[in-house]
Amino acid sequence: MRTVVITGGAKGIGRGVAERLHRDGENAILVDRDEAAVAAAAKEIGCAHEVANVTDADGLADMFQRVADRYDGIDGLVNSAGLTRTGPTATLPLDDWQQVIDVNLTGTFYSCRLAVEHLVPGASIVNVASIAAVRALPERAAYTATKFGVVGLTRVLAVEWAERQVRVNAVGPTWTKTQLIDDLVDQGKLDESELAAKMPMGRLAEPADIAGAVSFLLSDDARFVTGQTLFVDGGYTWSG
Ligand SMILES: NC(=O)c1ccc[n+]([C@@H]2O[C@H](COP(=O)([O-])OP(=O)(O)OC[C@H]3O[C@@H](n4cnc5c(N)ncnc54)[C@H](O)[C@@H]3O)[C@@H](O)[C@H]2O)c1
């Protein structure tokens, strides 16, 4: 049984990954800043949880230390904590820009860096990027910049940590049915059926679709795969 820490594990893609790993008999540890939501999700799944904010380096370091002490090291890390702020770039509040950078990019950097000393040889990190790492999404400048950044960070860490026998990959989901998308639909910033029609396979992704790819990248089947971004997109990335 491998111990896998999942940031942003209370909801959406992170939770979908935890459900999949738990079903496969792995020791999934949910980590989230939302204390009530992460406790509830962990109870429903039947796994352990920790409360931490990925922008708080000290709190994250303590959390990784606790988990590593309790389970004798860490075998996997999935960085799914993330958020988005949308709007015309010319008027995007600077606070919105900073918040997205802090969570999606700096948070992923902190998490990788603070976990690495606890990762056992053969461990695997999977960062959750996005199709926004390769497609220009108007009114999502901050989000897009962070996802390009996450792919770049993934490549550098893959090369740097190969000698530790730690692999670092990313997944690039297309629009996935989670709270993040529901919020944009509620705000009138997204039309779900219009979006589904743009997907060559005719639907949005489900968290379970992303969890399958994450599970592969964590597994021994991917033992010689590192520095890659696996797009889980129903064909959208390379469509017109
Ligand atoms: N939903 C999509 O369409 C989609 C597509 C591509 C990529 N992604 C990426 O997938 C990841 C997860 O998104 P989601 O759709 O599951 O979102 P979500 O809102 O459903 O879940 C995100 C989780 O992250 C947690 N979180 C946010 N900030 C945090 C912080 N500072 N510290 C700790 N936890 C924090 C939230 O509390 C929440 O539980 C994000 O990185 C997002 O950019 C989502």
Side-chain angles (χ1 to χ4, degrees), residues 7-15 31-34 37-38 52-56 79-84 102-104 107-108 128-132 143 146-147 171-181 183 204 207 210:
T7 74
K11 293 191 194 137
I13 291 172
R15 181 178 168 147
V31 176
D32 208 282
R33 69 174 174 185
D34 185 336
V38 75
N53 189 322
V54 297
T55 64
D56 168 17
N79 288 305
S80 190
L83 47 76
T84 188
D102 286 349
V103 176
N104 295 9
T108 301
V128 181
S130 165
I131 49 159
Y143 185 78
T146 64
K147 296 305 182 179
V171 287
T174 188
W175 307 92
T176 307
K177 280 184 68 61
T178 68
Q179 188 71 50
L180 188 143
I181 294 300
D183 289 347
L204 271 56
I210 316 307

Side-chain angles (χ1 to χ4, degrees), residues 29-176:
I29 315 288
L30 302 189
V31 176
D32 208 282
R33 69 174 174 185
D34 185 336
E35 196 169 344
V38 75
K43 195 170 172 202
E44 281 169 35
I45 296 170
C47 63
H49 75 278
E50 292 278 341
V51 178
N53 189 322
V54 297
T55 64
D56 168 17
D58 291 343
L60 261 190
D62 290 347
M63 180 277 294
F64 282 122
Q65 185 72 56
R66 272 197 306 279
V67 172
D69 288 348
R70 196 177 310 141
Y71 301 105
D72 201 18
I74 298 172
D75 304 282
L77 169 65
V78 180
N79 288 305
S80 190
L83 47 76
T84 188
R85 296 284 176 268
T86 59
T89 306
T91 54
L92 183 76
L94 293 183
D95 282 353
D96 283 7
W97 169 272
Q98 197 58 52
Q99 198 183 359
V100 176
I101 300 285
D102 286 349
V103 176
N104 295 9
L105 184 56
T106 310
T108 301
F109 163 70
Y110 281 165
S111 182
C112 290
R113 178 173 139 127
L114 295 168
V116 75
E117 295 305 331
H118 305 293
L119 295 177
V120 303
S124 168
I125 297 175
V126 182
N127 295 323
V128 181
S130 165
I131 49 159
V134 280
R135 287 190 73 121
L137 303 181
E139 304 202 352
R140 286 170 178 77
Y143 185 78
T144 300
T146 64
K147 296 305 182 179
F148 268 73
V150 165
V151 167
L153 176 68
T154 299
R155 292 180 187 173
V156 171
L157 297 184
V159 174
E160 213 173 302
W161 292 347
E163 66 181 15
R164 294 173 179 262
Q165 303 302 315
V166 169
R167 295 181 297 106
V168 189
N169 290 290
V171 287
T174 188
W175 307 92
T176 307

